[in-house]
Amino acid sequence: MRKYILMLLAMVAMAVQAETITYGAPAKMWTVPAVFSVDQQVTFYFDMTDAGFKEGVDLYLWCWNPSEPDAGNWENSSDFAKLTYEGENVYSMTMVPTEYFSSGASTMSAQEVYDYCQTADWPGFWARLKTKDGGEQSDVFQAPDSRSEWEEFASSGDAVRFFSGIKATGFTDKFTIDQPLTIVFDPNQFTVSGVTMNEFAKKDGFESFQLHSGLDDWTYLQNVAVWVPECMDLTRIEKLTNGYYSISMKSPYDYYHFNVTDQKETGLETDTEIENLAWLVVGIINGDWGGTSADQSTKAGQAVPYPDPAFSSFPSRIGLNDILTLTRQYNEKTAGELSYEITAGGKTITGILDGNRDKREAIVNLVDEFAGVSGDQLEIVIKNAGGSVVEEIIMPLAK
């Protein structure tokens, strides 16, 4: 009897597992810092637009490489695995990977995690996002890591490199106001007061390197004020375990719109068209400026905003004996699935515009749907997933 009970429980467990709903993977992923070391604090961002989850639902990270910290808790994810909802279908997780993957159910030490993540055998951060009870999950995806960027920088011979943007679409050295930015320095190549950073760091009383900088030739300034602790924290260039130095920004707008020394807005706006970043590296010795690099100027790129929503229909001259195509492009991030209502002669039909955020479309056979109906106009209403009207159109019917 006990054997049959166990078999029944196993069948129930299998049935529950079979009910798990699998959605799409993140539409886009990025990190801040844009380029990071696995023993450095990093925030992973996951854009779940069009993935299928209900907007704002609590999601949890389920990651099994380099280790599986939440192993055994699929049906009740731990609090440490919960993501932060940032709005507009974007979720984030802030961690130090060596600490995260040496915690929970993991049997690896922080050093073992670090060492493994430097090898060619490491397959990367493989993961899903899921609801707490595991009833809904994303498809499997690989979160970004920075091994290839560090290898490329090491072989480039460059003294400094700007990494702007997100890895999925390719980093650029021309930064833009709204994209993550990481600046990396080779301390054997980059010089401060005529010597390499490594040599400068050996000076008596050396404390840190700081970034003194401003957008558009110092117009939007973030200066190095040694008497302001908040400023020193913000402008510090961090030495990494791999021997390089780096400083990162969520975006140049985030970094330069408020001057922490003066405690004032700088006047920078999210749509300001910036031309360059003027900057230099300051070496701090005994609590004061002890030397600087040469003045630098790095040219900015141009930010490309997402287009405004655009609705169209075909043909432009329509009758009830035609096939109507409804198209809405560049939809709002939180619009989700779009539905339509078409009314003519007292009859209303409904349907869905298929596709994704970039383009949703429906083809409606008016001949079949409105057979025997007469009228002088079509009333078309498009609604987003929340039921709000995003388009309302009246089209005269051709006689």
Side-chain angles (χ1 to χ4, degrees), residues 210-222:
Q210 311 285 146
L211 184 70
H212 183 72
S213 59
L215 294 174
D216 285 354
D217 296 320
W218 312 100
T219 300
Y220 307 103
L221 179 67
Q222 203 63 265

Side-chain angles (χ1 to χ4, degrees), residues 151-390:
E151 291 172 2
E152 179 191 358
F153 183 59
S155 63
S156 70
D158 292 342
V160 61
R161 177 79 68 88
F162 278 51
F163 289 92
S164 176
I166 63 175
K167 184 169 182 173
T169 54
F171 293 119
T172 62
D173 53 3
K174 288 186 177 179
F175 66 95
T176 55
I177 194 170
D178 60 345
Q179 293 291 307
L181 173 62
T182 295
I183 309 172
V184 297
F185 302 85
D186 182 342
N188 290 313
Q189 302 286 336
F190 192 85
T191 59
V192 177
S193 292
V195 299
T196 67
M197 293 175 78
N198 277 341
E199 291 171 328
F200 191 96
K202 296 176 183 177
K203 291 179 178 286
D204 290 342
F206 170 78
E207 296 176 5
S208 64
F209 290 113
Q210 311 285 146
L211 184 70
H212 183 72
S213 59
L215 294 174
D216 285 354
D217 296 320
W218 312 100
T219 300
Y220 307 103
L221 179 67
Q222 203 63 265
N223 57 317
V224 175
V226 295
W227 61 92
V228 181
E230 184 182 3
C231 175
M232 297 301 283
D233 289 341
L234 181 66
T235 63
R236 179 169 284 106
I237 301 172
E238 181 180 2
K239 186 173 184 180
L240 306 178
T241 303
N242 59 18
Y244 297 112
Y245 283 83
S246 75
I247 185 169
S248 296
M249 308 168 192
K250 186 176 182 179
S251 72
Y253 170 77
D254 180 75
Y255 189 85
Y256 291 102
H257 81 279
F258 185 82
N259 183 281
V260 295
T261 301
D262 298 334
Q263 289 293 297
K264 289 182 180 179
E265 299 283 340
T266 63
L268 183 68
E269 302 290 344
T270 55
D271 59 354
T272 301
E273 295 185 11
I274 53 177
E275 295 183 0
N276 60 56
L277 175 63
W279 60 276
L280 55 86
V281 172
V282 180
I284 303 298
I285 293 179
N286 294 324
D288 205 352
W289 287 35
T292 68
S293 69
D295 285 357
Q296 310 277 340
S297 181
T298 302
K299 189 175 181 180
Q302 185 173 2
V304 180
Y306 195 75
D308 292 331
F311 174 81
S312 63
S313 62
F314 180 84
S316 56
R317 183 175 173 82
I318 191 76
L320 291 179
N321 292 320
D322 289 318
I323 294 177
L324 175 65
T325 300
L326 304 175
T327 304
R328 195 170 191 266
Q329 294 180 279
Y330 316 126
N331 295 283
E332 300 86 354
K333 279 185 64 65
T334 57
E337 187 176 72
L338 300 182
S339 61
Y340 66 80
E341 298 175 0
I342 302 176
T343 302
K347 180 179 179 180
T348 298
I349 62 170
T350 61
I352 299 298
L353 281 76
D354 293 323
N356 54 38
R357 184 192 180 194
D358 291 340
K359 181 179 180 181
R360 297 189 182 276
E361 189 171 78
I363 298 175
V364 186
N365 188 334
L366 300 180
V367 180
D368 293 341
E369 297 287 357
F370 289 97
V373 174
S374 61
D376 56 8
Q377 66 181 26
L378 284 183
E379 297 177 16
I380 303 172
V381 175
I382 309 293
K383 296 181 179 180
N384 63 22
S388 298
V389 174
V390 295

